[in-house]
Amino acid sequence: MDNSRQPPPPGPDRAALAALALHQAGDLAGAHRAYQELLRDNAAHPYANLWMAALLHQTGRTADAERYAQTSVEAAPTLPDAWVNLGIIRRALGQAEAARSSLERALSLDPLLDAAWLALGATHQELDNDDDAERAYERAASLAPKSPLPDFNRATLHLERGRVRAAQAAVENALAKDSSHAASLGLLATCQLELDEPQAALATLQRAERLDHNIPDLPAARGAALAELGQLEAAVAAFDRALRLKPDHGPALSTGLFTRRRLCHWAGIERVQARFRDALSREVAGLAPFPWLAEDSTRAEQQRCARQWGAQWPDRPLATQPHISASGERLTVAYLSADYYRHPTAYLAAGLFEAHDRARFRILGYSNSRDDGSDIRARVVSAFDEFVDIRKLDAEAVAAHMQRERVDILVDLKGHTLEASTAVLARRSAPIQVQYLGYPGTMGMACVDYLIGDPVVTPFEHQDAYDEFIVQLPHSYQINDQQRPHPEAADDGGAHGLPGDAVVYCCFNNTWKFNEPAFRTWLDVLSAVPDSVLWLLGRESSASVAARLREIAGQAGIAPERLVFSKSRPLTPYLSLFHHADLFLDSWPYNAHTTASDALWMGCPVLTIQGETFAGRVGASLLKTSGLEALVCQGINDYREAAIALGQDRSQLQALRRSLERGRDTNRLFDTRATTRSIEAAFEEMARRHRDGNPGPFKVPH
């Protein structure tokens, strides 16, 4: 039967309108009771079912709402609002195709319903029908020219697709129509953060919260802006505000947990960690996987988090699929990163880009990083055969550029870290896509084919925790630059507050890698080695962190002055600090990575625990490659005893330093050319397997 030709149902009766008035006045409990009374008298009452469904959806009971919404369309199949309501609820329940069908039915009954066009656009957006979504938003805008919502939704579409500047323009259009639309202000702030404008974002968010202080996304975004500006204590307060409004707000949970780690704010952190784990089990949106790597999480939990996060970028390959070069032809390899400036990735990988065999490989750099004018930036740019600045390009344009350049292998150096260009991977920009170096875990995305690791960080028995195929280099996965500086000591230890006769334990890791079990283990070591100090590098909020850690030390009976803090500094003077350190005490469950290789390069031995995850096995990989397997511990007790024993035997520490210094030129960890040859062999094997249609894990031979 063609319902569009049936007469519309009669309007709502007086009792129904009275119930609706309660609803519209904000008396949700009263409205709920009134709707129930109507439904007791008439279970098929179309308006009572319609509005009860809307109320339940509004209060978070969307699964319960669907039954009432379905009853309303059965009772009044020619009532357009009933179909719109059902469509909105079905979309919220993840039933996008069913939602589209319901909304199209509503529009067949009344094509002038702007709310239906708006919801249909959002549904097409979810189904990756971008052109249909744009058309629906245009229609909604034409029907409601003063509403900010069509432009707001269009902005979310652009932002999801990596078109940040287009998103900013769309949301500014929304604000031109309604300058008091708080959600649009929040989205504008998100764009400003993406464009590295945290101060502007903070001002926008403060304005938005003055308009509406009950939207949890606003304090969560404010926390992100404050964290970016280094105002970490204020950021934690903002994240806590978001969580009071919405206890399972994914971004606030993630970044709030990470910011607490940065501040060494450990009181009650177990509760936050437990909330994160519970939210992860319930598939709460917005849980970022990178902070989870630093927690006591399993490989399976990290994979689950990465998969849920990666679902934001469903596979959306270009219409024209890329093809691999023929056997014997030179392969084109593109490295994608936001870290081509003073960043550990640039310092590690500059030699890799330079050392590639140009007879076999053409090497391109795709960058969405700022130009900081540094020497390392200039060196990296000159190392590529072509360097492409993609900051003003959306993901589709970047993918199209790579296909025109006939990129065979795209190597992502970011993974799920800040400023990653993940949408470029989702467009299938190259026939082979690889994750390397920047993210120690799986990305959980089908569009990433391989992860480059080694037998220690990614043993093949861990393959089930990685959505990528594992590729093992023969030694450590970590590329190192043999041209990194090796400065002499610029001063004596006293210049840094170090006692002249002390055993100097150090950990120059970022504070977010610290945790209470590790720190208390370090205090145990100091207690057992009375003539020792622990030397830490103050990178952020150093005064509050130092005060907090010294207070914990004092409570444990350790004189607070035995914790020595030095300021962060540029690469060369930073490296010279290692001349004054006797033993680097590694962190867990997230080890030192670049920092550990810095220590070994400068002759400072590293003591580590081999953990269960990639992030917790890097120290073991670096040490085993350097011939120092004896410094790899299997647990906290082993680690504590080894640290104490080494601190009580300075001759052994000195022997380890001499061994590292003598072997620097032959240490396989620092052989840039040899590691590059292994990576190239991996690329060629990936290409061969792709041509043969036989992808899978493999090990690069020695």
Side-chain angles (χ1 to χ4, degrees):
M1 181 183 295
D2 184 358
N3 289 326
S4 63
R5 295 185 181 179
Q6 295 183 46
D13 54 47
R14 185 174 298 177
L17 289 173
L20 177 63
L22 292 172
H23 192 163
Q24 291 173 333
D27 182 1
L28 301 187
H32 189 273
R33 286 192 298 270
Y35 294 147
Q36 284 182 318
E37 289 176 11
L38 287 167
L39 292 169
R40 273 195 294 270
D41 294 336
N42 178 8
H45 193 298
Y47 294 99
N49 277 288
L50 166 63
W51 296 330
M52 175 67 93
L55 186 150
L56 291 173
H57 176 50
Q58 178 184 351
T59 54
R61 296 173 58 189
T62 305
D64 295 332
E66 185 181 23
R67 174 168 59 88
Y68 291 96
Q70 184 65 46
T71 302
S72 70
V73 299
E74 290 170 357
T78 58
L79 182 61
D81 286 348
W83 288 104
V84 174
N85 197 42
L86 179 60
I88 289 171
I89 288 169
R90 283 175 164 174
R91 176 173 165 262
L93 292 171
Q95 304 168 18
E97 282 292 353
R100 180 187 59 77
S101 176
S102 298
L103 293 164
E104 288 177 346
R105 177 73 67 87
L107 289 166
S108 72
L109 295 166
D110 184 353
L112 301 181
L113 277 176
D114 59 283
W117 284 110
L118 190 68
L120 182 61
T123 304
H124 279 305
Q125 182 173 333
E126 206 161 287
L127 291 167
D128 294 325
N129 302 330
D130 288 8
D131 291 342
D132 290 332
E134 287 275 13
R135 282 191 288 270
Y137 293 146
E138 286 290 345
R139 187 76 172 113
S142 69
L143 291 167
K146 294 183 180 180
S147 171
L149 295 178
D151 288 304
F152 174 83
N153 278 20
R154 187 181 294 111
T156 67
L157 172 62
H158 289 313
L159 198 58
E160 285 177 6
R161 304 301 183 246
R163 301 187 289 264
V164 181
R165 294 186 186 279
Q168 185 176 25
V171 79
E172 285 173 347
N173 285 341
L175 288 166
K177 295 174 181 178
D178 183 356
S179 61
S180 65
H181 190 237
S184 289
L185 286 166
L187 192 58
L188 174 61
T190 300
C191 295
Q192 291 166 331
L193 283 170
E194 290 280 340
L195 295 169
D196 197 25
E197 299 170 359
Q199 196 66 59
L202 183 59
T204 301
L205 289 161
Q206 289 168 338
R207 177 183 162 199
E209 287 186 90
R210 285 194 296 271
L211 292 167
D212 191 334
H213 57 272
N214 291 315
I215 301 176
D217 288 350
L218 298 179
R222 178 163 53 87
L226 288 164
E228 187 73 17
L229 292 166
Q231 300 176 39
L232 302 187
E233 300 282 0
V236 168
F239 293 131
D240 286 347
R241 165 68 180 161
L243 291 170
R244 283 194 296 274
L245 292 171
K246 184 179 180 183
D248 59 357
H249 191 282
L253 270 174
S254 306
T255 318
L257 181 60
F258 190 67
T259 307
R260 280 179 165 80
R261 289 286 183 207
R262 290 173 69 182
L263 287 166
C264 298
H265 201 312
W266 300 325
I269 202 166
E270 297 86 357
R271 291 193 298 273
V272 183
Q273 188 187 64
R275 288 173 69 179
F276 188 108
R277 180 173 274 113
D278 174 66
L280 179 61
S281 71
R282 293 184 288 108
E283 299 187 0
V284 168
L287 295 171
F290 182 74
W292 196 227
L293 301 182
E295 301 301 320
D296 188 18
S297 54
T298 66
R299 292 189 301 275
E301 287 176 326
Q302 293 177 7
Q303 182 183 42
R304 186 180 307 122
C305 191
R307 285 176 172 174
Q308 290 173 201
W309 180 261
Q312 297 175 78
W313 299 277
D315 290 355
R316 301 179 63 250
L318 297 181
T320 304
Q321 291 297 291
H323 298 285
I324 197 79
S325 294
S327 178
E329 291 184 359
R330 189 168 69 147
L331 291 173
T332 295
V333 178
Y335 287 95
L336 174 66
S337 183
D339 297 334
Y340 298 137
Y341 64 102
R342 288 189 189 93
H343 187 279
T345 296
Y347 286 120
L348 287 175
L352 165 68
F353 307 145
E354 293 167 341
H356 273 303
D357 181 354
R358 264 34 184 209
R360 294 155 54 212
F361 298 92
R362 177 171 169 250
I363 306 299
L364 311 180
Y366 284 79
S367 169
N368 67 321
S369 62
R370 62 185 184 275
D371 183 353
D372 63 351
S374 62
D375 291 343
I376 192 66
R377 166 77 175 194
R379 182 180 166 197
V380 165
V381 171
S382 65
F384 291 113
D385 297 320
E386 182 182 348
F387 186 82
V388 186
D389 187 337
I390 63 171
R391 284 176 297 173
K392 295 184 179 180
L393 301 178
D394 63 32
E396 184 171 357
V398 176
H401 189 283
M402 289 185 180
Q403 290 197 11
R404 288 195 301 273
E405 292 294 328
R406 299 186 62 82
V407 171
D408 296 293
I409 299 174
L410 170 58
V411 184
D412 177 53
L413 297 173
K414 289 295 293 179
H416 290 316
T417 60
L418 193 64
E419 298 180 324
S421 297
T422 315
V424 174
L425 297 171
R427 299 313 300 257
R428 182 50 77 173
S429 303
I432 299 170
Q433 300 193 144
V434 181
Q435 196 230 130
Y436 177 54
L437 194 61
Y439 183 76
T442 183
M443 289 186 70
M445 300 176 68
C447 61
V448 185
D449 305 301
Y450 292 99
L451 167 68
I452 296 178
D454 63 46
V456 177
V457 295
T458 51
F460 288 131
E461 56 265 31
H462 293 180
Q463 176 64 76
D464 62 349
Y466 294 89
D467 286 65
E468 310 87 347
F469 291 122
I470 290 173
V471 175
Q472 291 182 352
L473 301 187
H475 300 286
S476 179
Y477 81 103
Q478 190 189 83
I479 186 72
N480 272 275
D481 179 23
Q482 214 158 14
Q483 298 180 49
R484 71 189 343 147
H486 188 271
E488 297 297 324
D491 42 37
D492 60 27
H496 304 284
L498 300 170
D501 58 348
V503 174
V504 178
Y505 296 106
C506 77
C507 184
F508 292 162
N509 282 349
N510 283 297
T511 52
W512 56 263
K513 295 185 182 182
F514 294 1
N515 55 63
E516 191 165 11
F519 186 68
R520 292 198 179 277
T521 302
W522 297 341
L523 295 181
D524 290 344
V525 174
L526 293 182
S527 180
V529 185
D531 58 340
S532 65
V533 297
L534 176 61
W535 192 13
L536 306 173
L537 202 58
R539 297 175 186 266
E540 51 196 7
S541 297
S542 53
S544 63
V545 170
R548 188 167 287 122
L549 295 183
R550 282 179 169 147
E551 181 182 2
I552 296 171
Q555 291 169 351
I558 302 296
E561 60 268 20
R562 292 179 65 189
L563 269 60
V564 180
F565 293 85
S566 288
K567 292 182 179 179
S568 184
R569 57 203 68 211
L571 179 65
T572 299
Y574 149 72
L575 290 174
S576 72
L577 297 179
F578 286 105
H579 285 293
H580 308 304
D582 295 305
L583 181 65
F584 187 106
L585 296 177
D586 201 3
S587 56
W588 72 86
Y590 198 121
N591 296 161
H593 293 184
T594 308
T595 313
S597 57
D598 289 338
L600 296 171
W601 173 255
M602 293 302 299
C604 179
V606 176
L607 187 71
T608 195
I609 295 176
Q610 180 169 302
E612 293 301 316
T613 65
F614 190 138
R617 300 171 74 89
V618 172
S621 171
L622 303 179
L623 287 167
K624 290 178 180 180
T625 300
S626 300
L628 295 174
E629 189 164 358
L631 296 180
V632 178
C633 304
Q634 298 306 313
I636 295 176
N637 290 337
D638 183 22
Y639 175 95
R640 182 190 296 108
E641 291 171 6
I644 292 169
L646 287 166
Q648 293 173 341
D649 186 353
R650 290 196 177 188
S651 63
Q652 189 175 357
L653 286 173
Q654 291 165 357
L656 287 168
R657 179 175 285 277
R658 286 193 299 271
S659 175
L660 281 167
E661 289 174 343
R662 284 197 305 268
R664 183 181 304 109
D665 292 339
T666 57
N667 188 336
R668 184 62 175 75
L669 180 63
F670 302 121
D671 191 336
T672 307
R673 188 167 295 277
T675 304
T676 303
R677 295 291 88 83
S678 295
I679 291 171
E680 290 174 342
F683 290 160
E684 290 175 330
E685 178 64 11
M686 291 173 195
R688 185 190 69 76
R689 286 170 175 261
H690 185 85
R691 294 186 200 101
D692 294 346
N694 185 35
F698 64 89
K699 181 173 183 175
V700 176
H702 287 264

